[in-house]
């Protein structure tokens, strides 16, 4: 508030206290013929503030001063695209699993995020390797603060702990990041294809949700296109493995070579990740697997897909019995509570020396299905997604070369997306200019028809109206062409924005600060 009032130094300020109904109205009125702002905001105590400009021909207008005040970030600066993220590269699974949001809850999360004071749009990307929230924020600092506090409340983790592990990216850096994620460059396994499907799922599930707005939906659609292009034009996916295949590789690394095809395998969960586990087990020579699942339907579907392997179905009630009969146990379920803890496995029979004497739990779920305490049980070892780094360390030079090829494509697509987003700045001016011309056209048309009176028949009236529309459209064609920018011609963005400001001045299209009032009022309405 102080920064706002300081912008009006040298003017007379009259402040009267009042207690308006809730939500309170903080009213700022600039007594200038072309500037008036009414702003609603949450405040414990409210005031009616009347700012009256003292007569001074040499001073800036109240409107100009308003634009250089603290409110300027709402009226002139473009809202920021931001990502607040926690990934496998910087955050242990213990924290990621608490903040994980199930797919069914993504729409609710978007609505809650957009109800925050400084968040306009939002999306949630949550996988076993990352938890990332993408937002369009009116203020970077306040947006980060509000989203972090929301994450803290949702996951039950202190803000300080989230802040220690999170990464923050803004605008072009945030855009580049989601492009890299979609292309598989940020994955634990470079180029893995599952992440592209997950980005597509975000767009599919979020479509139609009010907070998944034009900027964020455009960002994700472009990221999907980038992911496809990178995989088409580079060889980054060749030889790449998914989390599921890395899990199988890890199990084989821990088993004696002689047990690769003879170890007794149990899979808990028959979803997408479980299906990929079976696919890679089959490729390694596995011929028999027990699958525990809530229903037999998905297991029957797996039998149809993998007819060369024996798949035995067991219900969830038999899970512990099956675990006691298995040497390697893969877990891939959406359970939000652990399926195996120390007390569950300490009574299981020991495995034979032919498989190394150690029962292996390979857990690729987030939240985890196997508690870390299982490692306290003798002859038992539990691995989670964070342990897969051991598998992907090989062939790093080849992977980096492919990543460099992908970055060239991302650089090109980043420019295209930024041009598209920057072009959105001119949309309000285009609308205002059209409305301005239409008001003049309809007003003069009405005067013309009144003068013609009854002497004009319907055909004449229609011809006059068509003529008026044609004249207006031809006059507007040139200015509107110079307001449209998509990065495909020689005109620069600076030139386009300069044209926008010139038209605003010439036609007096910025005679009010309606954008500020509209954005703040919308946020208040959301919270009612």
């Amino acid at each position: 508030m102080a920064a706002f009032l300081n912008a009006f130094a040298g003017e007379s300020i009259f402040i009267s206290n009042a207690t308006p109904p809730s939500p309170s109205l903080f009213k700022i009125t600039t007594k200038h013929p072309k500037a008036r702002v009414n702003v609603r905001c949450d405040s414990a105590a409210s005031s009616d503030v009347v700012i009256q400009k003292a007569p001074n021909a040499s001073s800036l207008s109240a409107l100009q001063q308003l634009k250089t005040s603290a409110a300027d970030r709402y009226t002139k600066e473009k809202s920021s695209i931001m990502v607040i993220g926690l990934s496998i590269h910087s955050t242990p699974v213990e924290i990621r699993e608490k903040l994980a949001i199930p797919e069914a809850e993504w729409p609710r999360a978007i609505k809650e995020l957009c109800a925050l004071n400084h968040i306009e749009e939002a999306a949630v990307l949550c996988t076993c390797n990352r938890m990332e929230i993408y937002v369009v924020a009116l203020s970077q600092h306040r947006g980060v603060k509000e989203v972090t506090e929301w994450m803290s409340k949702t996951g039950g983790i202190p803000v300080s702990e989230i802040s220690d592990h999170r990464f923050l990216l803004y605008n072009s850096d945030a855009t580049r990041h989601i492009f890299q994620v979609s292309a598989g460059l940020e994955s634990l396994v470079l180029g893995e294809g599952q992440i592209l499907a997950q980005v597509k799922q975000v767009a599919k599930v979020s479509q139609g949700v009010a907070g998944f707005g034009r900027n964020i939906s455009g960002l994700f659609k472009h990221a999907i296109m980038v992911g496809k292009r990178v995989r088409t034009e580079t060889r980054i996916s060749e030889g790449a493995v998914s989390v599921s295949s890395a899990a199988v590789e890890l199990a084989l690394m821990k088993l004696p070579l002689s047990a690769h095809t003879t170890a007794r395998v149990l899979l808990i969960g028959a979803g997408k990740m479980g299906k990929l586990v079976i696919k890679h087990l089959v490729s390694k020579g596995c011929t028999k697997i027990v699958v525990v699942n809530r229903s037999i339907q998905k297991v029957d579907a797996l039998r149809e897909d993998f007819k060369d392997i024996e798949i035995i179905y067991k219900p969830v009630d038999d899970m512990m019995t099956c675990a006691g009969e298995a040497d390697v146990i893969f877990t891939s379920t959406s359970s939000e509570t652990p399926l195996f803890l120390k007390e569950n496995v300490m009574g299981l029979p020991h495995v034979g020396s032919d498989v190394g004497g150690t029962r292996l739990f390979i857990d690729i779920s987030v939240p985890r299905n196997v508690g870390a305490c299982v490692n306290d049980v003798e002859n038992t070892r539990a691995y989670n997604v964070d342990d897969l780094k051991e598998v992907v360390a090989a062939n790093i030079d080849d992977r980096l070369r492919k990543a460099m090829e992908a970055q060239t494509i991302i650089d090109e697509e980043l420019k295209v997306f930024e041009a598209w987003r920057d072009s959105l700045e001119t949309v309000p001016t285009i609308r205002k200019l059209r409305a301005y011309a239409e008001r003049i056209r309809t007003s003069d048309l009405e005067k013309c028809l009144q003068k013609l009176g009854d002497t004009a028949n319907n055909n004449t009236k229609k011809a006059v109206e068509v003529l008026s529309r044609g004249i207006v459209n031809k006059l507007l064609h040139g200015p509107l062409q110079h307001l449209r920018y998509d990065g495909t011609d020689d005109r620069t963005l600076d030139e386009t924005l300069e044209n926008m400001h010139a038209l605003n001045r010439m036609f007096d299209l910025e005679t009010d600060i309606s954008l500020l009032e509209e954005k703040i009022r919308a946020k208040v309405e959301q919270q009612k």
Side-chain angles (χ1 to χ4, degrees):
M1 180 61 193
F4 186 91
L5 293 178
N6 286 339
F8 291 88
E11 299 187 354
S12 300
I13 300 178
F14 303 92
I15 300 178
S16 61
N17 291 324
T19 309
S22 181
S24 59
L25 176 65
F26 180 67
K27 185 176 182 181
I28 304 173
T29 302
T30 64
K31 292 193 173 179
H32 181 272
K34 293 184 179 180
R36 181 178 179 84
V37 182
N38 294 313
V39 183
R40 297 180 72 100
C41 64
D42 294 325
S43 176
S46 298
S47 302
D48 278 346
V49 181
V50 178
I51 304 174
Q52 185 171 0
K53 183 173 175 61
N56 187 344
S58 62
S59 66
L60 293 173
S61 69
L63 177 59
Q64 289 172 313
Q65 293 191 44
L66 174 62
K67 289 180 180 178
T68 60
S69 70
D72 191 52
R73 64 178 172 272
Y74 297 115
T75 59
K76 296 301 291 180
E77 290 185 7
K78 184 171 61 177
S79 298
S80 297
I81 290 180
M82 307 189 308
V83 56
I84 298 95
L86 301 156
S87 77
I88 192 173
H89 304 297
S90 61
T91 311
V93 66
E94 291 85 354
I95 295 178
R96 298 199 315 274
E97 66 185 358
K98 291 180 182 178
L99 294 169
I101 300 176
E103 181 180 309
E105 296 296 314
W106 291 351
R108 174 193 60 79
I110 291 172
K111 292 176 183 177
E112 289 184 3
L113 286 163
C114 290
L116 301 174
N117 287 335
H118 294 84
I119 304 302
E120 293 182 296
E121 303 176 25
V124 175
L125 175 59
C126 188
T127 73
C128 58
N129 286 339
R130 66 187 68 254
M131 164 57 179
E132 297 176 354
I133 295 178
Y134 292 81
V135 298
V136 174
L138 292 170
S139 164
Q140 290 185 1
H141 173 73
R142 290 171 175 79
V144 168
K145 182 175 184 294
E146 290 172 357
V147 172
T148 306
E149 289 174 348
W150 178 86
M151 294 171 69
S152 173
K153 180 180 178 181
T154 301
I157 298 177
V159 168
S160 58
E161 191 169 356
I162 294 175
S163 299
D164 287 341
H165 294 282
R166 75 185 179 195
F167 64 85
L168 304 172
L169 297 171
Y170 307 97
N171 296 317
S172 60
D173 290 334
T175 301
R176 179 181 294 279
H177 176 74
I178 184 61
F179 287 0
Q180 292 178 164
V181 167
S182 186
L185 301 187
E186 294 290 332
S187 297
L188 181 62
V189 180
L190 190 69
E192 61 101 355
Q194 192 171 4
I195 184 61
L196 179 57
Q198 291 164 333
V199 173
K200 289 180 181 178
Q201 192 65 11
V202 171
K204 180 180 178 181
V205 172
S206 305
Q207 198 65 40
V209 179
F212 192 68
R214 178 167 56 182
N215 288 275
I216 289 294
S217 64
L219 176 67
F220 271 77
K221 288 175 183 176
H222 207 108
I224 292 168
M225 185 271 289
V226 171
K228 291 178 179 178
R229 185 183 167 194
V230 165
R231 287 169 173 80
T232 300
E233 298 182 22
T234 74
R235 297 197 304 270
I236 197 168
S237 296
E238 292 183 8
V241 290
S242 65
V243 170
S244 300
S245 63
V248 172
E249 292 290 343
L250 179 62
L252 295 179
M253 288 172 61
K254 303 302 178 183
L255 286 170
L257 183 61
S258 59
H260 280 193
T261 58
T262 59
R264 298 171 297 174
V265 179
L266 170 64
L267 170 65
I268 301 175
K272 295 178 182 178
M273 300 281 278
K275 181 178 179 179
L276 289 172
V277 168
I278 294 178
K279 175 184 176 181
H280 294 292
L281 284 169
V282 171
S283 70
K284 298 298 181 181
C286 179
T287 58
K288 179 180 179 180
I289 185 171
V290 177
V291 179
V292 170
N293 198 57
R294 286 195 297 264
S295 65
I296 195 173
Q297 285 78 11
K298 285 189 175 181
V299 178
D300 286 339
L302 292 175
R303 287 169 175 160
E304 287 295 317
D305 291 333
F306 303 101
K307 295 182 179 180
D308 295 333
I309 182 175
E310 181 183 1
I311 299 178
I312 302 171
Y313 166 73
K314 293 292 183 179
V316 174
D317 290 344
D318 293 345
M319 182 173 66
M320 289 301 168
T321 300
C322 293
E325 298 171 351
D327 303 316
V328 182
I329 302 167
F330 295 92
T331 61
S332 174
T333 80
S334 58
S335 173
E336 296 187 17
T337 56
L339 303 179
F340 294 95
L341 296 172
K342 179 179 179 179
E343 55 267 28
N344 303 126
V345 302
M346 60 191 309
L348 297 180
H350 294 298
V351 300
S353 58
D354 58 325
V355 291
T358 300
R359 176 174 284 108
L360 304 177
F361 285 87
I362 313 293
D363 181 13
I364 56 175
S365 304
V366 176
R368 287 172 295 174
N369 292 163
V370 182
C373 55
V374 167
N375 287 309
D376 296 334
V377 178
E378 186 179 3
N379 299 323
T380 303
R381 187 75 175 88
Y383 299 92
N384 58 53
V385 290
D386 286 6
D387 296 309
L388 300 181
K389 296 175 184 177
E390 182 179 352
V391 178
V392 301
N395 302 322
I396 189 66
D397 291 338
D398 183 53
R399 296 180 189 277
L400 288 177
R401 181 179 55 78
K402 293 176 181 178
M404 290 178 65
E405 295 176 11
Q407 285 292 358
T408 302
I409 295 174
I410 289 174
D411 288 341
E412 294 174 4
E413 294 298 339
L414 181 62
K415 292 178 182 177
V416 174
F417 178 78
E418 290 295 312
W420 170 79
R421 188 161 182 259
D422 287 333
S423 71
L424 298 181
E425 286 194 37
T426 66
V427 172
T429 298
I430 291 174
R431 290 175 179 168
K432 288 180 181 181
L433 185 57
R434 281 194 176 277
Y436 174 82
E438 184 64 13
R439 286 195 300 270
I440 295 175
R441 187 192 71 81
T442 54
S443 175
D444 285 3
L445 176 63
E446 184 178 351
K447 293 175 184 177
C448 176
L449 295 178
Q450 286 176 353
K451 288 181 180 179
L452 291 174
D454 296 335
T455 61
N457 57 32
N458 288 337
N459 287 337
T460 301
K461 292 178 180 178
K462 185 177 181 180
V464 172
E465 181 172 0
V466 171
L467 176 65
S468 67
R469 289 185 184 278
I471 292 173
V472 167
N473 287 337
K474 287 179 180 178
L475 288 173
L476 288 181
H477 177 74
L480 293 184
Q481 282 294 102
H482 284 79
L483 284 179
R484 293 189 174 94
Y485 174 80
D486 60 7
T488 60
D489 54 30
D490 294 332
R491 189 170 63 253
T492 66
L493 175 62
D494 287 341
E495 289 173 347
T496 302
L497 296 181
E498 184 179 339
N499 293 334
M500 179 186 75
H501 295 309
L503 286 169
N504 282 329
R505 290 193 302 270
M506 284 188 290
F507 293 98
D508 207 16
L509 300 179
E510 290 186 333
T511 55
D512 60 85
I513 314 298
S514 58
L515 182 60
L516 169 60
E517 182 177 3
E518 180 184 334
K519 288 185 176 181
I520 300 290
R521 190 179 298 280
K523 299 309 295 184
V524 173
E525 290 299 322
Q526 286 179 4
Q527 298 178 56
K528 284 185 178 180

